[in-house]
Each structure stands twice: as structure tokens, then as C-alpha cells.
């Protein structure tokens, strides 16, 4: 990222809190490129989150139904939950840069 551009944007916001959104948006787009999140990411985050929470709640329900521990949580349920959490981490993880940041 261009440090000078970031500092200029911060300066604009500090000097004029009521700065035009279009001006700030333009500077942000210059810094990071595309700033919008495609709808595919939004839906995939929601679906993966629902899958992870459903798997967790289903595991808790299995443990509540049989507190003795005789029945185990199905492996398919564990794998669905861990895969969805792993996919969420993959979406939110920052990609490494060559400049060490």
C-alpha cells in the first residue's frame, strides 16, 4: 500500500469530518483497489457460518441427549463443522505480501 496516500486520506478525514463520501471512497479505492464485497462472499460467509453453528449445536444436543457419553458425535458432523470453520478462516485470512507486511 502507498503510505503517502493513506496519510493523505487520514488528513482529509481529520481536517474535515464532513468530507464528501465520494472523495474518501476514491482515496480508499486507490489504496486497496476494489472496496466492495461481491455478493458471493456474503452468501458464502452466511452459509458457512450457519453450517458451523449447526454442527456445533447438533454436537451439543447429542451430548445432552446422552450425558453418559455412550454415543459419540458422528464423524460426519465433526468434519462438516471443521470444514466450514476452516473455509471461514480461509476467507478472512489476509494473504501474505512480498514486502513483509
Amino acid at each position: 500500500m502507498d503510505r503517502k496516500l493513506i496519510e493523505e486520506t487520514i488528513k482529509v478525514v481529520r481536517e474535515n469530518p464532513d468530507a464528501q463520501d465520494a472523495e474518501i471512497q476514491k482515496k480508499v479505492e486507490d489504496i486497496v483497489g476494489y472496496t466492495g464485497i461481491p455478493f458471493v462472499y456474503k452468501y458464502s460467509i452466511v452459509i458457512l457460518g450457519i453450517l458451523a453453528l449447526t454442527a456445533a449445536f447438533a454436537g451439543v444436543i447429542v451430548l445432552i441427549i446422552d450425558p453418559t457419553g455412550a454415543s459419540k458425535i458422528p464423524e460426519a458432523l465433526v468434519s462438516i463443522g471443521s470444514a466450514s470453520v476452516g473455509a471461514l478462516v480461509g476467507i478472512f485470512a489476509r494473504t501474505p505480501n512480498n514486502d513483509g507486511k
Side-chain angles (χ1 to χ4, degrees):
M1 283 196 223
D2 186 10
R3 186 172 197 82
K4 182 179 178 186
L5 191 57
I6 294 171
E7 290 172 356
E8 287 176 8
T9 305
I10 292 171
K11 182 179 174 185
V12 167
V13 173
R14 282 187 181 155
E15 288 176 356
N16 186 5
D18 299 324
Q20 295 295 322
D21 288 338
E23 181 182 348
I24 294 172
Q25 183 69 25
K26 171 86 172 82
K27 288 189 179 288
V28 170
E29 286 176 1
D30 290 343
I31 294 170
V32 294
Y34 179 69
T35 59
I37 298 175
F39 71 95
V40 174
Y41 288 114
K42 291 179 185 177
Y43 290 127
S44 63
I45 288 169
V46 169
I47 291 169
L48 290 169
I50 290 171
L51 277 174
L53 291 175
T54 302
F57 287 131
V60 169
I61 289 172
V62 167
L63 292 175
I64 290 173
I65 290 173
D66 185 21
T68 61
S71 63
K72 295 185 178 179
I73 298 173
E75 290 180 17
L77 189 61
V78 173
S79 64
I80 289 172
S82 63
S84 60
V85 169
L88 281 172
V89 169
I91 289 174
F92 289 122
R94 185 175 176 187
T95 57
N97 295 337
N98 290 336
D99 60 358
K101 294 181 182 177

